[in-house]
Amino acid sequence: MSDALSPNGIRHALVLGGGGPLGICWMAGLAAGLREAGVDLSLADRFVGTSAGSVVGSVLAGHGDLRSLIGVPRPDGEAPQMNPAGFGEIMQILTTPGLSANEARQRAGARALEMAVGDPADHIARIGGLAGASEWPTADLVITSIDIATGELQLWTRGGAATLAEALAASTAVPGIFPPVPIHGRYYMDGGIRSPINADLAAGAEQIVIIEPLAHLFPHIPSDSELGGAATLSIVPNEETVAIFGLELFNLAARQPSYEAGYRQAAEAAPRLKAVWPTR
């Protein structure tokens, strides 16, 4: 690897994709296993987090406790109620023929606002508590979301308008399942609605590692390949993990098995990463 910095000053970028609660747990277990194998993902120069990846990215960037991401009990002891039908309706809107990507996201966002899927304040508190989010880490952390008024990508970084908990909630606000999140008078939803990874936000880095829980379900968009000549290495769930995920990424009973599957998969991923990732 060259000693010269890339044009944007970033050598090693870590891109963490969406994946719901089980994707969070799998990525947390993977990162924990890699750390024990001598590969510390928290040494990235830039973290790009989308949806579930924003939560894991914030913990890595802040050198937090990865195991805490398996989940914390709600005060009332109940898990949030999911409505797969609502998400299905949103997906139909997003795939409406003849609409531009932004138009489709605008319509999906407007419909998401109409759905009675809970209080945004509860989602902010839940996600902030899961990530232990009190303040933004000093590391270069980029969190993705969608502005529902414009359908455009909205990025959150340290020093911006959102608290870390608000940014995480916006990025994980899966439309039809969680409510859009208000930040300074505008509403935002899941950054995965644009791309499951938003890898172009790491463009220009010398080496990009992409960890993608839903590679078996959702395709990339063209800009995910526009990486400015960066070398890339991707890690996706193995067959064991895909079987644990099943079709219900909000099956909270599968959080621990997903974490353990990620931890085991680290053993096969570590040799590839050691060749390209920095050490202390």
Side-chain angles (χ1 to χ4, degrees):
M1 188 117 355
S2 169
D3 288 335
L5 285 176
S6 62
N8 61 11
I10 298 170
R11 274 207 180 95
H12 302 91
L14 179 65
V15 172
L16 299 159
L22 301 191
I24 289 176
C25 293
W26 174 73
M27 286 188 285
L30 179 71
L34 287 171
R35 183 173 290 170
E36 288 196 13
V39 179
D40 188 351
L41 295 179
S42 69
L43 296 180
D45 300 309
R46 169 169 290 178
F47 302 83
V48 176
T50 292
S51 198
S54 71
V55 179
V56 179
S58 71
V59 172
L60 285 169
H63 303 279
D65 179 7
L66 289 164
R67 191 166 179 81
S68 70
L69 292 177
I70 296 174
V72 294
R74 283 167 53 89
D76 58 12
E78 297 181 0
Q81 297 299 306
M82 307 304 170
N83 179 15
F87 181 65
E89 181 181 346
I90 294 294
M91 290 303 294
Q92 287 186 330
I93 295 172
L94 290 170
T95 55
T96 301
L99 293 181
S100 70
N102 277 11
E103 289 172 332
R105 292 193 287 258
Q106 285 175 301
R107 292 192 186 185
R111 180 67 185 104
L113 271 177
E114 298 171 346
M115 294 180 173
V117 290
D119 187 334
D122 290 341
H123 185 54
I124 293 170
R126 180 169 54 245
I127 295 297
L130 178 64
S134 55
E135 296 183 1
W136 281 86
T138 58
D140 182 358
L141 171 65
V142 180
I143 293 175
T144 68
S145 67
I146 299 296
D147 183 330
I148 68 171
T150 64
E152 295 178 348
L153 184 67
Q154 170 66 48
L155 306 181
W156 305 106
T157 58
R158 185 171 182 262
T163 66
L164 180 56
E166 288 173 336
L168 294 174
S171 191
T172 58
V174 183
I177 294 180
F178 296 117
V181 172
I183 301 174
H184 288 267
R186 301 179 74 87
Y187 283 85
Y188 302 90
M189 63 182 179
D190 194 324
I193 297 302
R194 175 188 184 251
S195 159
I197 53 175
N198 293 295
D200 54 314
L201 300 178
E206 188 173 331
Q207 174 72 54
I208 302 174
V209 170
I210 302 171
I211 300 179
E212 188 175 359
L214 300 185
H216 58 297
L217 293 178
F218 295 109
H220 295 171
I221 61 175
S223 61
D224 286 326
S225 299
E226 298 170 2
L227 302 179
T232 62
L233 187 155
S234 294
I235 303 174
V236 303
N238 58 17
E239 291 183 4
E240 175 196 11
T241 301
V242 170
I244 292 170
F245 283 177
L247 298 177
E248 180 48 80
L249 293 169
F250 290 87
N251 175 14
L252 301 188
R255 287 177 296 182
Q256 181 72 35
S258 296
Y259 180 94
E260 292 171 354
Y263 185 88
R264 287 191 293 271
Q265 191 172 343
E268 62 188 69
R272 291 193 296 146
L273 279 165
K274 282 182 178 179
V276 301
W277 202 247
T279 58
R280 292 190 184 277

